[in-house]
Amino acid sequence: MSRIQVLPPQLINQIAAGEVVERPASVLKELVENSLDAGAKRIEVDIEGAGVRLLRVRDDGQGIEREDLPLAIASHATSKIHSLDDLLRVGSFGFRGEALASIASVSDFSLTSRAVGAECAWRIHSPGDPGRAEMTPAAHPQGTTVEVRDLFFNVPARRKFLRTERTEQHHLEETLRRLALARRDVGFTLRSAGRTLWRTEADEPAEARLAAIAGTSFAASAISFEQEIDGLRLWGWLEPPTHARERAEVQYFFVNGRAVRDKVIIHAVRQAYADVLHGARQPSYVLFLALDPEGVDVNVHPAKLEVRFREARRVHDFLFSTLHRVIGELRPAAGSARVAPALGLPTGQVEAPFLQLQKSQISYAPPRQSGLPLQPDRFEVREALAAYQALAEPSNSHSSPLGRGAGERDEPVDLVQAEAALPPLGYAIAQLHGVYILAENAEGLIVVDMHAAAERIAYERLKRALEEDGIRRQPLLVPLPLEVDLRLMDAAEEGAEALRRLGFILDPIGPTTLVVREVPTLLAQSDIAKLTTDTLDEIARYGDSRRIEQALHAVLSRMACHGSVRAGRKLTVTEMNALLRDMEATPCADQCNHGRPTWTRLTMADLDRLFLRGQ
């Protein structure tokens, strides 16, 4: 080996560029975040060749003083932190002092800026080496313009790793979309080769910004909500499970205004949608989490794309319980399957820089720690099965004013009054081939898959019975020893109480050996070893796990499926109406246990289009 030596500044910057400047989109992110930190209200972005030939960012922010321009492209120079205390409570975007120096070392870089109150602007130019930068006077309004030309011209090996121009432009647009979603108080413009691709105005209505960035389809179907508990605040938009997509096209999450990709967050969102998505379909959401800056470390990734929470389990439980409850509150509603009760469109204001939203009128309970209440002697499968046996039993209280069940008398009905009183899913008028229920509501025709609907109703009743009556444990005839690593041993100790509430009793019998002594009765025939290790792994990685609950729910789902009304069974009008009323009162009733839709609607306008009426 050669002797230890200090690396030259140019090489140091290029090494840093390898971490910070992955592609043109990385450059765009750093430059726009600097503009936001400078108080800009208007940011314009111009690109050519997907940002490789040219990437220009112009803002109307505070600008940079002439004396500070050389420091702007110097390594580890920043105006945003001055001490360790500042680092622990970071409130700005860029703060590491690496970005501009790194960008200036791998491109033909120029920065022109005029500070507030300055007589003229100044320009600093770095042809791939900040150490050889030159300064000259320039004409420029208040604010800053940064031009990055010929990215990676002096590091051709890095340039070879770039994707096609189309792919790189997609990443550029996606990066700016995320920044525009986080800052509705700022107007953004994106141009490519002089052509405007999209533009947003500062302080435009939240729905307009959402439609422009996330798409009109998402804006039309998403529900808004807001929840705050003990210093954690979550708000934003969720698309109902019935509108899940094939690809993860609209999945935006912001922590204190910063777009992040975090494993704890992703896991919590995925679990909240666990039993309402069909197959591999993806949920769509735009979510914002706010918490004390000291509770989150944003300095764990050079490009600040990841964060670390001080109380990961608490954050995970808060996210899961809030999102799970919002999804569970969805009911079939008049006018649309996409409306949640008491979840209005956002009109109120919250402090900048976050999107302006209206507080939901839904009352949420504090997040549960984990697990279900333990009352081991009360829950029996037979009792659970009885919970949904009454599903299709006749009930005169559910009779339709527009139809008659068996044995009902033919009495005159005020049709106008009856239509005005129609519930969201209306009243049954027929059954089609023993599979679908046809119902009439105020808007038109409702078509219900009766087995899928009954399956969801039964499943939710079983889950409620399980939660209310507790979990019965069963001792293993032969305790099951498991060899695990120290990470899982720590997780077993940390999650012991939660596992006990869920019916799992684990004991350590060695430095890396656990023994499973008791398991939930419903899971006695499961792969106990895999379920236990998977659960401990989730606790170790995310601070929480719902694998056991999911396994219990999977058993209940199968029970609900086999015990529900089957296709081909003839129902009376009264029985069909009973099913419709139960759907309206059941959480997540828009989809079955497997994520398939349970009902759809054809309005009179839809029917008119089918038959070309009025055309």
Side-chain angles (χ1 to χ4, degrees):
M1 294 179 61
S2 59
R3 300 286 298 276
I4 297 174
Q5 58 182 333
V6 177
L7 297 177
Q10 171 69 352
L11 182 55
I12 291 174
N13 287 332
Q14 290 181 334
I15 292 173
E19 298 178 328
V20 177
V21 187
E22 178 186 0
R23 57 187 354 137
S26 308
V27 176
L28 177 65
K29 174 180 179 294
E30 299 291 347
L31 298 184
V32 173
E33 287 182 345
N34 281 341
S35 295
L36 294 173
D37 284 339
K41 290 299 180 182
R42 183 80 225 165
I43 299 175
E44 299 179 357
V45 178
D46 289 273
I47 59 175
E48 294 178 9
V52 177
R53 288 199 302 273
L54 170 68
L55 198 163
R56 180 190 300 118
V57 176
R58 179 190 296 268
D59 69 58
D60 60 354
Q62 296 176 352
I64 304 174
E65 299 286 351
R66 173 188 176 183
E67 309 80 58
D68 291 343
L69 282 179
L71 291 176
I73 58 174
S75 297
H76 303 295
T78 179
S79 62
K80 299 166 187 178
I81 59 171
H82 302 90
S83 67
L84 180 60
D85 290 339
D86 294 335
L87 190 61
L88 296 177
R89 297 186 61 86
V90 172
S92 59
F93 287 111
F95 56 87
R96 298 171 64 104
E98 298 171 311
L100 291 184
S102 299
I103 296 167
S105 69
V106 293
S107 67
D108 184 358
F109 177 93
S110 66
L111 187 156
T112 306
S113 188
R114 181 176 178 180
V116 177
E119 294 182 358
C120 68
W122 286 83
R123 177 177 183 264
I124 188 167
H125 176 229
S126 166
D129 184 358
R132 296 191 294 118
E134 297 179 352
M135 286 182 54
T136 54
H140 193 280
Q142 179 188 315
T144 302
T145 296
V146 179
E147 284 191 359
V148 178
R149 295 181 179 273
D150 297 328
L151 185 63
F152 299 135
F153 79 96
N154 55 352
V155 193
R158 292 292 308 281
R159 202 162 188 168
K160 292 179 181 178
F161 281 92
L162 296 179
R163 303 299 182 184
T164 64
E165 186 170 309
R166 180 178 179 181
T167 298
E168 295 300 336
Q169 178 141 331
H170 169 76
H171 284 288
L172 282 166
E173 293 189 41
E174 185 66 13
T175 296
L176 197 59
R177 285 193 189 98
R178 291 179 183 274
L179 293 162
L181 274 175
R183 294 295 299 269
R184 192 172 62 83
D185 58 322
V186 179
F188 293 83
T189 299
L190 176 62
R191 289 184 290 262
S192 177
R195 181 173 63 91
T196 300
L197 300 182
W198 55 267
R199 177 186 178 93
T200 63
E201 299 300 328
D203 297 319
E204 62 190 344
E207 296 85 353
R209 178 66 62 96
L210 192 68
I213 304 302
T216 54
S217 174
F218 177 84
S221 62
I223 58 172
S224 63
F225 72 96
E226 181 178 350
Q227 170 67 0
E228 183 171 4
I229 295 176
D230 296 334
L232 295 175
R233 179 164 164 255
L234 181 69
W235 73 97
W237 288 270
L238 288 176
E239 207 168 38
T242 47
H243 290 71
R245 312 181 183 204
E246 295 290 343
R247 295 181 297 174
E249 296 173 337
V250 182
Q251 293 186 347
Y252 300 104
F253 202 105
F254 302 85
V255 176
N256 289 347
R258 186 188 305 277
V260 300
R261 296 192 301 267
D262 180 80
K263 63 180 183 181
V264 171
I265 292 169
I266 293 171
H267 187 259
V269 174
R270 186 185 299 122
Q271 286 197 327
Y273 278 91
D275 61 357
V276 293
L277 291 182
H278 181 58
R281 297 182 74 85
Q282 296 287 329
S284 298
Y285 52 83
V286 176
L287 299 173
F288 298 82
L289 174 67
L291 71 163
D292 189 328
E294 287 193 0
V296 56
D297 184 1
V298 299
N299 196 32
V300 298
H301 189 280
K304 301 178 291 293
L305 296 175
E306 300 173 4
V307 295
R308 181 185 295 119
F309 295 105
R310 176 179 294 179
E311 298 178 285
R313 172 174 289 185
R314 176 169 170 259
V315 171
H316 184 283
D317 281 351
F318 172 70
L319 295 178
F320 168 79
S321 61
T322 301
L323 299 178
H324 186 67
R325 186 176 290 268
V326 171
I327 295 168
E329 290 289 345
L330 292 172
R331 301 287 192 280
S336 175
R338 305 175 303 206
V339 178
L343 289 173
L345 288 175
T347 55
Q349 293 195 358
V350 293
E351 60 272 23
F354 304 112
L355 291 171
Q356 298 181 358
L357 298 166
Q358 178 186 29
K359 271 201 171 184
S360 165
Q361 298 174 1
I362 284 187
S363 174
Y364 291 92
R368 291 168 48 186
Q369 292 301 309
S370 65
L372 300 169
L374 177 61
Q375 300 177 28
D377 297 328
R378 295 185 57 193
F379 183 77
E380 296 282 356
V381 174
R382 292 189 181 212
E383 294 175 8
L385 287 169
Y388 60 78
Q389 286 177 347
L391 173 64
E393 291 179 2
S395 171
N396 289 332
S397 63
H398 293 307
S399 298
S400 165
L402 303 181
R404 301 185 305 279
E408 295 181 22
R409 291 184 302 168
D410 189 0
E411 297 181 354
V413 175
D414 185 335
L415 294 179
V416 175
Q417 182 179 357
E419 182 171 334
L422 286 177
L425 293 181
Y427 289 102
I429 54 179
Q431 187 180 20
L432 183 63
H433 292 293
V435 177
Y436 300 104
I437 294 173
L438 307 182
E440 178 184 357
N441 74 350
E443 291 193 320
L445 178 67
I446 299 293
V447 183
V448 175
D449 182 331
M450 67 180 197
H451 173 71
E455 186 179 49
R456 170 57 71 175
I457 294 168
Y459 178 45
E460 293 299 329
R461 288 181 176 177
L462 284 169
K463 287 199 296 184
R464 188 167 62 248
L466 178 65
E467 186 170 349
E468 292 172 354
D469 293 343
I471 300 171
R472 183 176 181 179
R473 295 200 304 261
Q474 174 178 315
L476 295 180
L477 185 61
V478 179
L480 176 64
L482 295 175
E483 286 293 329
V484 298
D485 56 31
L486 292 176
R487 184 177 63 97
L488 298 192
M489 287 293 291
D490 291 341
E493 180 180 356
E494 180 183 357
E497 183 55 35
L499 292 170
R500 181 180 292 273
R501 288 198 301 269
L502 288 167
F504 266 76
I505 304 298
L506 308 179
D507 287 329
I509 59 173
T512 58
T513 306
L514 292 169
V515 62
V516 183
R517 299 195 183 279
E518 297 184 36
V519 299
T521 301
L522 289 176
L523 302 181
Q525 304 304 315
S526 304
D527 186 340
I528 300 301
K530 186 177 188 307
L531 178 59
T532 303
T533 55
D534 286 350
T535 299
L536 295 178
D537 180 66
E538 283 197 347
I539 292 175
R541 293 171 61 191
Y542 309 113
D544 196 8
S545 175
R546 286 181 170 78
R547 284 292 180 103
I548 296 172
E549 284 180 278
Q550 290 172 355
L552 287 167
H553 289 172
V555 174
L556 300 185
S557 178
R558 290 193 294 271
M559 292 167 60
C561 182
H562 292 300
S564 298
V565 178
R566 311 303 297 180
R569 176 179 170 183
K570 297 295 182 181
L571 300 181
T572 66
V573 171
T574 302
E575 290 172 333
M576 289 187 280
N577 283 321
L579 184 63
L580 296 177
R581 302 294 78 78
D582 282 335
M583 288 177 65
E584 292 164 351
T586 299
C588 304
D590 289 341
Q591 55 281 318
C592 74
N593 313 348
H594 315 293
R596 294 190 298 107
T598 57
W599 68 284
T600 191
R601 181 189 69 253
L602 286 171
T603 66
M604 292 303 295
D606 295 330
L607 293 170
D608 287 345
R609 281 193 294 270
L610 285 174
F611 292 97
L612 304 181
R613 289 179 61 88
Q615 299 183 28

